[in-house]
Amino acid sequence: MSWSPRPQTQQQQVGMLLIAAVIVTSGPGLPVVGYLLYPFTILTTWFHEMGHGLTALLMGLTFEELVIYPDGSGFAQSSGAQDPSALSSALIAMGGPLGPSIAGSGLILATGNHRFWRPALYGLAAVIALSVAIWVRSPVGLVVLPIVGAVMVVIALFGRDWMLRFSLQFLGVLAALSMFRDWDYLFTENIVLGGEPMLSDTGAMEAALWLPHWFWAVIIILISGAMIGWSLKRALAEEGGPPRMPPRNIGQWL
């Protein structure tokens, strides 16, 4: 007779997500926890810049490089035979802020079914490794990202069910909330990156499509909120843990 752990109740799942949310939002401000979460700060920047780069690929451009600075800022460089259209430029700019929300929603959805727990961790680790091999061009990214990916593989290989689930919940909430944690950035038109003044993502959208940057910030927040809310609703509606053995009547046991 085999045995499997009971599925988590919806209340337990919500509790785990809240714990992950508190760690993600409050941890960086604490002296010791902030250092421990530093690799995940780099990971959220990677989500953001990959959003820019992969959107550029979809627009027919070449994703040249991804650079992450030690302070957690970064950029994705793309190029093409000719300048992209205004719409393409706006979509590439939007791809950065939406990238973490898309990734986070996908990871949260994966927590809804135990069959996806290990594949999701393996898949994310594989994408990280691929990006490091092809696009990442900064020492911080080349050192930190492979370590984060390796930890995911170790958890996928040896982690117990609760650890697999919590890891996905933590990573999903980390990615999803990182955009909201940078709330002020979305409502900023101009920034300084690497000592150079430039447009923010919403500032670039304003330059391409005329409507003010705060309008695009609101649109991005609404889209992200809708994706995250939908993924949470779907994940919490799914059976949380491995299936239990169905009850048997006396005749089946004889």
Side-chain angles (χ1 to χ4, degrees):
M1 176 179 175
S2 60
W3 177 87
S4 296
R6 290 172 60 89
Q8 289 181 317
T9 65
Q10 188 175 84
Q11 291 78 8
Q12 289 173 322
Q13 295 176 49
V14 171
M16 294 292 281
L17 287 171
L18 287 175
I19 291 172
V22 169
I23 293 173
V24 168
T25 55
S26 304
L30 302 176
V32 176
V33 179
Y35 289 109
L36 296 176
L37 290 179
Y38 179 74
F40 301 104
T41 299
I42 300 303
L43 182 63
T44 59
T45 302
W46 177 82
F47 281 127
H48 182 107
E49 303 308 335
M50 285 293 289
H52 285 309
L54 295 179
T55 305
L57 285 176
L58 291 174
M59 295 297 105
L61 302 179
T62 300
F63 185 4
E64 298 286 353
E65 64 176 357
L66 190 160
V67 173
I68 301 176
Y69 295 115
D71 65 355
S73 61
F75 67 87
Q77 183 71 40
S78 59
S79 64
Q82 55 186 0
D83 292 336
S85 66
L87 179 59
S88 294
S89 297
L91 290 174
I92 293 170
M94 181 183 281
L98 287 182
S101 297
I102 294 171
S105 297
L107 292 171
I108 291 171
L109 278 174
T111 67
N113 193 311
H114 74 281
R115 292 174 296 180
F116 300 140
W117 295 351
R118 282 188 169 84
L121 289 171
Y122 285 134
L124 182 56
V127 174
I128 290 174
L130 184 65
S131 71
V132 168
I134 300 176
W135 296 302
V136 176
R137 296 291 182 271
S138 59
V140 170
L142 291 172
V143 172
V144 175
L145 291 173
I147 294 174
V148 174
V151 170
M152 292 179 191
V153 171
V154 171
I155 292 174
L157 284 172
F158 304 109
R160 294 179 177 271
D161 290 323
W162 70 266
M163 184 180 295
L164 296 172
R165 185 180 181 86
F166 181 76
S167 297
L168 282 177
Q169 289 173 334
F170 177 79
L171 291 170
V173 172
L174 173 80
L177 292 186
S178 65
M179 190 275 291
F180 293 97
R181 193 178 59 215
D182 297 332
W183 187 278
D184 55 341
Y185 169 74
L186 289 176
F187 288 93
T188 301
E189 184 176 2
N190 299 285
I191 61 171
V192 176
L193 182 63
E196 297 292 332
M198 60 183 62
L199 292 172
S200 67
D201 293 331
T202 52
M205 296 182 71
E206 175 181 335
L209 300 179
W210 297 99
L211 291 171
H213 66 281
W214 58 262
F215 172 84
W216 297 115
V218 171
I219 294 297
I220 289 170
I221 289 170
L222 290 176
I223 294 174
S224 297
M227 286 192 299
I228 296 166
W230 179 79
S231 65
L232 284 170
K233 181 178 179 180
R234 288 295 301 272
L236 294 176
E238 294 284 344
E239 183 182 354
R244 288 177 292 172
M245 178 176 288
R248 302 184 180 184
N249 57 38
I250 295 177
Q252 289 175 308
W253 283 107
L254 295 177

